[in-house]
Amino acid sequence: MTAELVRGQNHALPQTRLEIRVSAGSPVVAGATLGDERGAVRGEEWVAHPGSPRLPGLEVSRQAAADHRLAVDLDALPEEVHRVTVLLALPTGAGRPVRFGAVAAPFVAVTGLDGTEIATFTLTGLDTETAVSALELYRRQGAWKVRAVGQGYAGGLAGMLADQGVVRAAEVAASIQEAVAAGLARAVTPPPRAPEPDRARNPATPAGSTAAGDGMPPAPVPPPQPTGDPAPVPPGVTPGGPIDYAHPRRQTTAPPPPPPTAPPAAPGQSAQPVAGDATGWSMDERLYNQIWGMFEDLARAVAAYRSAVDFAESRMDQELDRTLSDPRSRIGGTGDRAREEARAKRDELAGRAREALDRDLAQLAAESAVVEPALPAAYAAWDNPVWHGYRVPMEIPMAMRIGDLHLPEDAGLRIPLLVRLPLERGIWLDSGRTASEAAAETSGDQLRRLAMETAVALATRLLAVYPADEFSVHVIDPAGSAAGALAPLVASGVLAGPPAAGAEGVSSVLAGLTRRVDLVQMAVGARASDALPPDLDTGEQLLIVNDFPHGFDDRAVTQLRYLADEGPAVGVHLLMVADREDARAYGPVLDPLWRSLLRITPVADDHLADPWVGHAWTYEPLRAPRGSRVLEQVLALVAAARRGGAH
């Protein structure tokens, strides 16, 4: 049965030798790019286009045409290729269309060599774009899948290729258009179309479900994943840029593929999930990349489901409006029958969408069940047994878990929220009352207590994942109101000094850290790190601030803003526990401070906006199990390692 995809939806490929068939209302340029494990195109030699139509495992048409047939042999692709993206563009020249919105919606089909359709996608909703990423074939857990993309680019081929990391993208785009204009080679015979007596092919109607004529909606397509912190998101991110999984201190050469830990999946079946089934230089890096893949899969699966349900509702409303607009339908049972039929069709479409979502959720849940027990301490929840065998590390990991993310379609499926290390921005633990249900059920005093306990757990995790004596923690608690929550840190002796109280204590700690930032910046700028004072601690520093702005005068506030802006680049990081309402007297002066920090909450809250597909992800903090002393045990080991290093 043919899968008719909507934007963001994926489908397993039952075979590796395929044809990509394109039908458009006017001549278009068809090409393809090869992407590595990060989705990046390594050079123009990885771009198949009319001027260079053949690559290993891939052949595209040699001229612009209304119909195309692209040949793909996934087994023949280079080993480092993990993604094949099919591109369409409007040819330039006098009398040519200048935007996809002025032509019929292109139709793309993935077929077997015998012409049997596996998946189809109609690219609706395009307007000013002159180039579009139509769909992509990608490798996931050893199995190949197809995903409907439909991402348009008003900047044309140059913008699209640049987005995929092609160097000299403008020159490559120009050479492609020159090859098209010159008509470099033979014409391509239009491919035969698969029988489609029942499929609605009106360009104004989006691609449908598997039922004849039952349209499904285009879901918002996520742009290439940003780098860094999730956006929520997902973990170091510039929206609209390609995913960058590269370790900041690693070479840019491709990492080795994952080891063959499981047999390949049978055609049409999903591969058995395996922990670390992603590329990377180490198991930790493979797990990091695998978690990102799970986040992306969940985001797109839910986007496709929500879009399908919205379309089903919209279609039902339209059908009811058409029925009721005819006065004859209001007499007798005609109107009632129309309502029942419209609702039945809505339920059928929504039910099929939910079935597809449930399959994806079940696969992700199975993968999560395998991945969670295999996580290292930096990525693991506090209830993971790995903490019982904890040892102080010799080097810092590439990332650290600060909480979990989930969506309402399956609140039990949690995706770890990882942030890269060293921290690229500070963290704000919002102790104020939010609109979430959990916050509404919690008193103000409880929220402040939970916020400080969450801050202590985060500080403990940071101390645990860094080597001994390479991470220091300072605390500002002007009124001493967090003494109970701070007890594990104080009792273990891991703090750089006693929690600072009162205006004098606040001023002293801020002055010391500001001096450190100034000195390190000057030393780095002058390339004279050996000139730093011998008493200066050059390790990473974390400043926990409780009850801001109590105890802060204008000078202290200015210093705090300075640390938030300049500190992360030289190893000074903020962890603020504050209610923004308490600082409202400062007005917009503090807006840059709040924006510079990653906001998280002490209770579940859906404040993390996803710019890819418009989701509001619910964040949940990590807490030690009730009655557990895992924090105290970990801090005791950190303190012992520091004492041993001091001797």
Side-chain angles (χ1 to χ4, degrees), residues 23-96:
S23 298
S26 62
V28 296
V29 181
T33 60
L34 305 180
D36 60 16
E37 71 285 346
R38 295 179 291 115
V41 180
R42 296 186 179 176
E44 57 186 278
E45 66 276 6
W46 274 21
V47 182
H49 57 83
S52 178
R54 290 187 178 182
L55 297 178
L58 178 64
E59 182 175 4
V60 304
S61 305
R62 303 195 182 196
Q63 69 174 23
D67 295 285
H68 293 272
R69 180 187 296 170
L70 286 65
V72 181
D73 185 350
L74 299 174
D75 290 335
L77 294 172
E79 185 178 353
E80 58 269 29
V81 171
H82 289 252
R83 188 172 302 181
V84 179
T85 303
V86 177
L87 315 175
L88 303 179
L90 294 174
T92 57
R96 299 285 191 183

Side-chain angles (χ1 to χ4, degrees), residues 364-451:
L364 285 169
E367 186 173 4
S368 178
V370 172
V371 169
E372 279 286 354
L375 295 178
Y379 301 175
W382 287 115
D383 59 357
N384 192 308
V386 71
W387 286 106
H388 296 295
Y390 166 76
R391 293 292 181 270
V392 177
M394 300 299 292
E395 61 180 17
I396 68 170
M398 66 184 300
M400 183 188 79
R401 186 173 184 168
I402 65 169
D404 290 334
L405 300 173
H406 64 84
L407 291 170
E409 280 73 10
D410 188 348
L413 179 57
R414 308 295 176 91
I415 305 296
L417 174 55
L418 304 180
V419 295
R420 295 293 289 265
L421 294 178
L423 294 173
E424 298 174 354
R425 59 193 297 199
I427 297 175
W428 165 30
L429 253 164
D430 189 352
S431 59
R433 187 173 300 282
T434 64
S436 72
E437 181 178 344
E441 297 173 351
T442 309
S443 68
D445 290 341
Q446 286 178 311
L447 284 173
R448 286 188 286 272
R449 176 180 58 79
L450 290 173

